[in-house]
């Protein structure tokens, strides 16, 4: 930023010299037909510097391009405000939006010659000189323009000199202030100056500007201020802290009555009206201008917007610029918040667990193909204390359990391994390639499934199948596919390739990223970065501002995405993990549940072409220490929870409510070309055959057998050297 010139240093002059110098440099200049040079007749100096030279050397251009701090207003996608935050409670208004009564009261009290002077009132200067001939500090009534100069520099001072001018209590500071004021009057109309002043005036630590002050102290707007309210607010300008009507009602009343006396002296109120105004109560009607996310109906979504402003380059190239942008505000941001989806999600989590449950639900809803975050919800109140939090669960990473399995399938499809690939899926299974847990890999409830394909494996969430599948695909390839789907929390670069637990969801991912990944399956492989802000304008001018780029791109092959979407129908079928729950009423969806080890957390991630929703259920204190072995939900007590019992109904209720009134669209199916490439092969059952015979049969069917070196336990049903399991 350009730095303003400093001008001259404060001279060590005596009282008489200071008085004469200030009079010469200001009073004559203010009345000199708009000239910016002090007339020679008054160019006197006590230290060898003429007033004219001094005046000419002063800076004169104010940093008007930087707006004063204002509100940032958040709108939902339908244009309704749901939050605002600010560092200074200022709401800009145009002059036509301010009561004429207030403007009349203001100018009569503060600057009766506003429309006559050129920034500095010579009569006011002379009165100040008479009263301040001896003291070292200058006191006197500044004009409205001079007060505006001070306000601008308080907020935007570019160097120490401008800071001293903002303080405005030394002779040289007053001269500099006058120079700024005279120049401001040359470049701005009286209406523009008065508008800037009305929006800049400081009224204690709460409101800045007349609109915010009217709302805070009178619960009205600047346009509706009456005489009594105007007198109160104008009186406060003399000392906002001293005359605060809430903390100091007696002082505020006396100051208001002083304003009424001035109005009576100037003939603005009659002799009969003035006593009535002076005896009237203050008439305080405390209003408010909600600030911060805690005042919002959607506090957790609001917090995500705030974090996006502080993190996204659209709001500034550096962290400092983005922080300044947030502090200054002046933006009206349209977000992707869908109020219908938000209500449905919030109602669903509260119906399931209430707000006092030790278990928590965190929901994220994303629109496929756009990256727009339609809603987040959780069964917690915003804030600190019992039952409250300021952590957004939708953005927090947790182990995802079996909801990771469709991503393993996507990685397999990329390598040409079709969803019809049949793999032995009985447990316990000890992998020769992966790190095995104690006791080997097992399926939920120790069930065995024999030879099955991905359709069966997704339907019943078969662990052993996906461990065998990740053996073929490769751990790093699965991690790479996850990254292609927008999942950034898996440490793909540090994996060694033996982490079979990746297939079973041992790594942590946030509900937002999981919902976004499944959204890609419903949008033909289109992957977007989740964003909350989709439109932005300057609040004062309506000029468009840049917004975060969701960077939508073809993240995975469309046929891979379509195939996974088709497979995700399976859990809703008879015998599937979601068969009892059923699909959202009247529409088709694809979904996958997840349950982490020892019931540390439950998940369900599911989608339609219009919305993708992820629901996490767990204890925020830590799932390992506080597992879901006993949870009260829906008025009942559940033991050893899986994703279908509590998270599932919350997901279904969210989807039904969010999509109500929208057409039901079919899910994508397997792409025709990909389906044509899938070999439809029969895998013969070779159990009971001698080893050589089994190998011969499999090779005849173009299947390469893998023979385990460890033999099975002795079994009377199978002779020695025969195949007992495949």
């Amino acid at each position: 930023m350009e730095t303003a010139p400093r001008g001259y240093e404060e001279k060590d002059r005596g009282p008489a010299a200071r008085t004469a110098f200030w009079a010469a440099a200001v009073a004559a200049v203010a009345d000199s037909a708009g000239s910016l040079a002090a007339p020679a007749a008054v160019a006197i100096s006590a230290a060898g510097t003429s007033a004219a030279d001094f005046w000419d050397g002063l800076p004169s251009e104010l940093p008007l391009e930087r707006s004063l701090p204002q509100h940032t207003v958040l709108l939902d996608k339908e244009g309704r405000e749901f939050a605002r935050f600010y560092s200074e409670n200022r709401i800009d208004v145009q002059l036509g939006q301010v009561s004429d009564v207030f403007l009349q009261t203001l100018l009569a009290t503060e600057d009766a010659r506003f429309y006559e002077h050129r920034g500095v009132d010579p009569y006011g200067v002379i009165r100040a000189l008479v009263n301040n001939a001896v003291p070292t500090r200058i006191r006197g009534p500044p004009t409205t323009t001079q007060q505006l100069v001070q306000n601008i520099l308080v907020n935007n001072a570019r160097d120490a000199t401008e800071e001293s001018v903002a303080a405005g209590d030394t002779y040289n500071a007053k001269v500099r202030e006058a120079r700024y004021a005279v120049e401001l009057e040359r470049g701005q109309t009286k209406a523009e100056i008065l508008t800037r002043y009305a929006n800049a005036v400081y009224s204690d630590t709460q409101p800045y500007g007349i609109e915010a002050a009217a709302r805070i102290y009178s619960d009205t707007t600047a346009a509706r201020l009456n005489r009594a309210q105007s007198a109160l607010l104008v009186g406060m300008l003399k000392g906002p802290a001293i005359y605060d009507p809430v903390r100091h009602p007696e002082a505020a009343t006396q100051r208001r009555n002083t304003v009424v006396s001035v109005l009576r002296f100037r003939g603005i109120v009659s002799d009969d009206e003035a006593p009535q105004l002076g005896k009237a109560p203050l008439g305080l009607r405390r209003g408010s201008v909600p600030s911060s996310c805690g005042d919002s109906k959607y506090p957790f979504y609001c917090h995500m917007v705030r974090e996006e402003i502080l993190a996204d380059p659209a709001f500034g190239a550096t962290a400092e610029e983005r922080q300044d942008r947030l502090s200054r505000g002046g933006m009206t941001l349209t977000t992707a918040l869908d109020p219908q989806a938000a209500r449905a999600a919030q109602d669903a989590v509260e119906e399931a667990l209430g707000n006092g449950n030790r278990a928590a639900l965190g929901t994220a809803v994303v629109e496929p193909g756009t990256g727009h975050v339609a809603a987040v919800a959780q069964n917690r109140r915003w804030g600190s204390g019992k039952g409250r939090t300021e952590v957004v669960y939708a953005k927090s990473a947790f182990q995802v359990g079996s909801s990771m399995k469709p991503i393993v399938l996507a990685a397999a499809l990329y390598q040409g391994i079709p969803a019809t690939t049949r793999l032995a899926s009985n447990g316990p299974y000890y992998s020769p390639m992966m790190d095995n847990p104690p006791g080997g890999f097992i399926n939920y409830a120790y069930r065995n499934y024999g030879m099955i394909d991905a359709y069966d494996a997704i339907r019943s969430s078969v662990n052993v199948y996906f461990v065998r599948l990740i053996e073929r695909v490769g751990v790093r390839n699965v991690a790479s596919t996850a990254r292609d789907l927008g999942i950034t929390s898996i440490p793909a670069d540090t994996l060694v390739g033996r982490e079979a637990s990746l297939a079973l969801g041992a790594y942590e991912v946030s509900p937002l990223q999981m919902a976004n990944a499944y959204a890609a399956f419903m949008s033909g492989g289109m992957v977007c970065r989740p964003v909350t802000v989709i439109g932005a304008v300057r609040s004062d001018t309506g000029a468009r501002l840049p917004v975060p780029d969701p960077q939508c791109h073809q993240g995975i092959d469309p046929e891979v995405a379509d195939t996974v979407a088709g497979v995700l129908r399976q859990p809703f079928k008879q015998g599937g993990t979601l068969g009892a729950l059923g699909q959202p009423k009247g529409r088709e969806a694809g979904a996958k549940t997840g349950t982490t080890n020892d019931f540390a957390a439950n998940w369900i991630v599911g989608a339609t072409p219009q919305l993708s929703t992820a629901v996490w259920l767990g204890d925020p204190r830590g799932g390992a220490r506080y597992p879901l072995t006993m949870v009260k939900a829906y008025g009942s007590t559940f033991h050893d929870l899986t994703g279908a019992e509590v998270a599932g109904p919350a997901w279904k209720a969210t989807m039904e409510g969010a999509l109500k009134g929208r057409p039901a669209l079919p899910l994508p199916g397997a792409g025709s070309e990909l389906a044509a490439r899938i070999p439809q092969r029969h895998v013969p059952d070779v159990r009971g055959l001698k080893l050589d015979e089994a190998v011969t049969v499999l090779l005849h069917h173009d299947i390469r057998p893998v023979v385990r070196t460890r033999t099975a336990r002795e079994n009377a049903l199978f002779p020695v050297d025969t195949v007992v399991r495949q």
Side-chain angles (χ1 to χ4, degrees):
M1 180 177 291
E2 182 179 349
T3 302
R6 286 183 55 82
Y8 293 105
E9 299 295 330
E10 189 81 58
K11 301 293 185 181
D12 185 17
R13 302 184 175 94
R18 279 195 298 271
T19 301
F21 191 85
W22 197 55
V26 179
V29 170
D31 231 13
S32 62
S35 171
L36 292 183
V42 293
I44 57 178
S45 173
T49 301
S50 71
D53 290 341
F54 179 80
W55 183 266
D56 289 337
L58 291 176
S60 60
E61 292 185 6
L62 286 167
L64 297 177
E65 72 282 355
R66 294 196 77 197
S67 61
L68 296 172
Q70 301 172 55
H71 292 194
T72 292
V73 180
L74 307 187
L75 309 178
D76 63 30
K77 75 171 192 175
E78 296 176 357
R80 291 189 291 246
E81 179 180 335
F82 68 89
R84 64 173 62 211
F85 34 79
Y86 47 80
S87 58
E88 294 182 6
N89 186 3
R90 177 182 287 105
I91 307 171
D92 271 6
V93 291
Q94 298 301 313
L95 202 58
Q97 297 172 289
V98 181
S99 161
D100 289 338
V101 171
F102 174 82
L103 294 174
Q104 185 184 51
T105 304
L106 171 68
L107 294 180
T109 306
E110 295 290 308
D111 193 357
R113 284 171 43 82
F114 175 71
Y115 287 103
E116 300 170 29
H117 64 66
R118 296 183 178 88
V120 180
D121 185 359
Y123 296 102
V125 170
I126 292 171
R127 287 196 301 272
L129 291 173
V130 171
N131 294 328
N132 294 281
V134 175
T136 59
R137 294 293 180 186
I138 187 70
R139 296 180 297 276
T143 66
T144 299
T145 312
Q146 288 174 279
Q147 292 181 59
L148 177 58
V149 167
Q150 290 178 345
N151 271 284
I152 291 173
L153 292 181
V154 163
N155 285 279
N156 298 296
R158 297 167 293 193
D159 58 21
T161 299
E162 290 187 354
E163 289 176 1
S164 71
V165 175
D169 58 358
T170 68
Y171 284 90
N172 269 8
K174 280 296 181 185
V175 176
R176 292 182 176 93
E177 176 190 288
R179 176 63 190 268
Y180 279 128
V182 172
E183 182 65 22
L184 184 60
E185 291 265 349
R186 293 190 68 185
Q188 302 270 305
T189 66
K190 289 288 187 180
E192 289 171 334
I193 290 172
L194 197 55
T195 300
R196 285 182 179 271
Y197 177 81
N199 290 319
V201 287
Y202 169 70
S203 299
D204 201 7
T205 57
Q206 285 295 317
Y208 290 74
I210 185 56
E211 178 67 22
R215 296 192 190 190
I216 290 293
Y217 294 110
S218 300
D219 196 20
T220 187
T221 64
R224 296 180 178 179
L225 287 169
N226 60 31
R227 184 70 69 189
Q229 293 165 338
S230 298
L232 173 66
L233 297 181
V234 168
M236 289 179 64
L237 296 177
K238 189 76 173 178
I242 298 173
Y243 301 115
D244 184 309
V246 177
R247 289 176 289 181
H248 308 292
E250 292 184 4
T253 301
Q254 292 176 3
R255 177 60 188 161
R256 181 204 63 183
N257 292 347
T258 299
V259 173
V260 172
S261 297
V262 173
L263 297 177
R264 180 179 184 181
F265 172 76
R266 299 196 184 282
I268 293 173
V269 300
S270 67
D271 291 344
D272 294 333
E273 185 182 1
Q276 295 177 6
L277 289 171
K279 293 178 182 179
L282 288 177
L284 272 182
R285 294 180 60 194
R286 291 290 283 168
S288 66
V289 182
S291 170
S292 82
C293 294
D295 294 316
S296 173
K297 184 178 180 181
Y298 309 106
F300 298 101
Y301 195 98
C302 170
H303 185 67
M304 287 175 58
V305 176
R306 187 179 185 278
E307 287 187 329
E308 189 167 277
I309 294 172
L310 291 173
D312 198 281
F315 299 101
T318 65
E320 292 76 14
E321 290 178 14
R322 295 190 290 272
Q323 180 62 62
D324 182 68
R325 193 73 186 88
L326 178 64
S327 298
R328 294 198 158 274
M331 301 181 290
T332 298
L333 306 179
T334 299
T335 71
L337 175 66
D338 181 338
Q340 180 174 317
R343 285 192 299 270
Q346 192 62 39
D347 289 347
V349 298
E350 291 184 2
E351 181 185 359
L353 295 180
N355 286 306
N357 205 307
R358 64 99 175 174
L361 283 162
T363 301
V365 185
V366 175
E367 184 180 279
T370 66
H372 295 174
V373 182
V376 295
Q378 56 197 67
N379 63 317
R380 292 290 188 273
R381 300 298 186 194
W382 176 268
S384 57
K386 187 176 181 180
R388 296 176 178 269
T389 185
E390 294 183 5
V391 176
V392 182
Y393 299 148
K395 289 193 68 178
S396 303
F398 308 98
Q399 289 187 345
V400 297
S402 293
S403 57
M404 187 70 187
K405 290 172 181 174
I407 297 173
V408 180
L409 174 59
L413 294 171
Y414 251 116
Q415 295 189 20
I417 302 173
T420 53
T421 300
R422 295 169 63 83
L423 299 173
S425 301
N426 292 342
Y429 171 65
Y430 294 88
S431 171
M433 302 171 60
M434 302 292 173
D435 292 330
N436 294 286
F441 292 100
I442 59 173
N443 299 317
Y444 180 72
Y446 298 94
R447 289 187 62 186
N448 289 327
Y449 295 88
M451 297 291 293
I452 59 173
D453 60 16
Y455 294 90
D456 297 325
I458 287 289
R459 181 168 60 250
S460 300
S461 195
V462 182
N463 293 339
V464 173
Y465 181 93
F466 283 97
V467 171
R468 286 183 176 272
L469 188 60
I470 202 172
E471 285 179 354
R472 295 191 176 196
V473 176
V475 169
R476 291 174 179 168
N477 290 329
V478 171
S480 178
T481 299
R483 185 166 51 197
D484 291 341
L485 289 165
I487 295 175
T488 60
S489 56
I490 296 174
D493 296 333
T494 60
L495 297 175
V496 299
R498 294 178 56 85
E499 298 87 349
S501 58
L502 175 62
L504 307 181
Y507 289 84
E508 296 181 340
V509 186
S510 71
L512 182 60
Q513 289 196 353
M514 288 301 291
N516 196 53
Y518 276 50
F521 299 143
M522 299 294 159
S523 60
M526 189 64 63
V527 176
C528 304
R529 187 170 65 99
V531 296
T532 60
V533 179
I534 59 176
V537 297
R538 281 188 52 162
S539 301
D540 52 355
T541 67
R544 291 186 178 276
L545 298 171
V547 297
D549 182 1
Q551 301 170 7
C552 295
H553 62 284
Q554 194 67 50
I556 63 173
D557 186 277
E559 294 176 345
V560 169
D562 289 351
T563 301
V564 175
V567 175
L568 285 172
R569 294 184 178 94
Q570 296 298 314
F572 292 107
K573 294 187 175 181
Q574 186 175 2
T577 56
L578 295 169
L581 178 68
Q583 302 207 41
K585 186 176 180 180
R587 66 185 69 243
E588 192 176 44
K592 182 69 189 74
T593 55
T595 301
T596 61
N597 284 347
D598 301 318
F599 307 101
N602 292 163
W603 284 77
I604 179 172
V605 189
T608 70
Q610 294 133 314
L611 290 177
S612 177
T613 298
V615 178
W616 162 83
L617 169 64
D619 192 312
R621 296 171 296 177
R625 187 174 181 183
Y626 302 97
L628 303 175
T629 50
M630 186 176 74
V631 174
K632 292 183 178 180
Y634 297 111
S636 301
T637 299
F638 292 82
H639 297 275
D640 297 343
L641 277 174
T642 64
E645 295 158 311
V646 174
W651 172 85
K652 184 177 180 179
T654 297
M655 295 294 281
E656 288 181 342
L659 292 169
K660 186 176 181 179
R662 300 175 69 173
L665 301 179
L667 255 64
S672 57
E673 292 184 17
L674 186 64
R677 295 199 304 264
I678 296 175
Q680 303 295 327
R681 293 187 300 173
H682 170 67
V683 178
D685 187 348
V686 296
R687 288 175 298 179
L689 297 180
K690 291 288 189 179
L691 178 60
D692 291 343
E693 295 173 339
V695 170
T696 300
V697 170
L698 291 172
L699 290 174
H700 179 73
H701 285 80
D702 197 25
I703 297 172
R704 182 174 62 86
V706 175
V707 180
R708 287 185 58 181
T709 56
R710 198 172 88 180
T711 59
R713 292 180 180 178
E714 184 177 348
N715 189 327
L717 297 177
F718 292 94
V720 177
D721 292 332
T722 58
V723 177
V724 299
R725 194 164 60 231
Q726 71 179 61

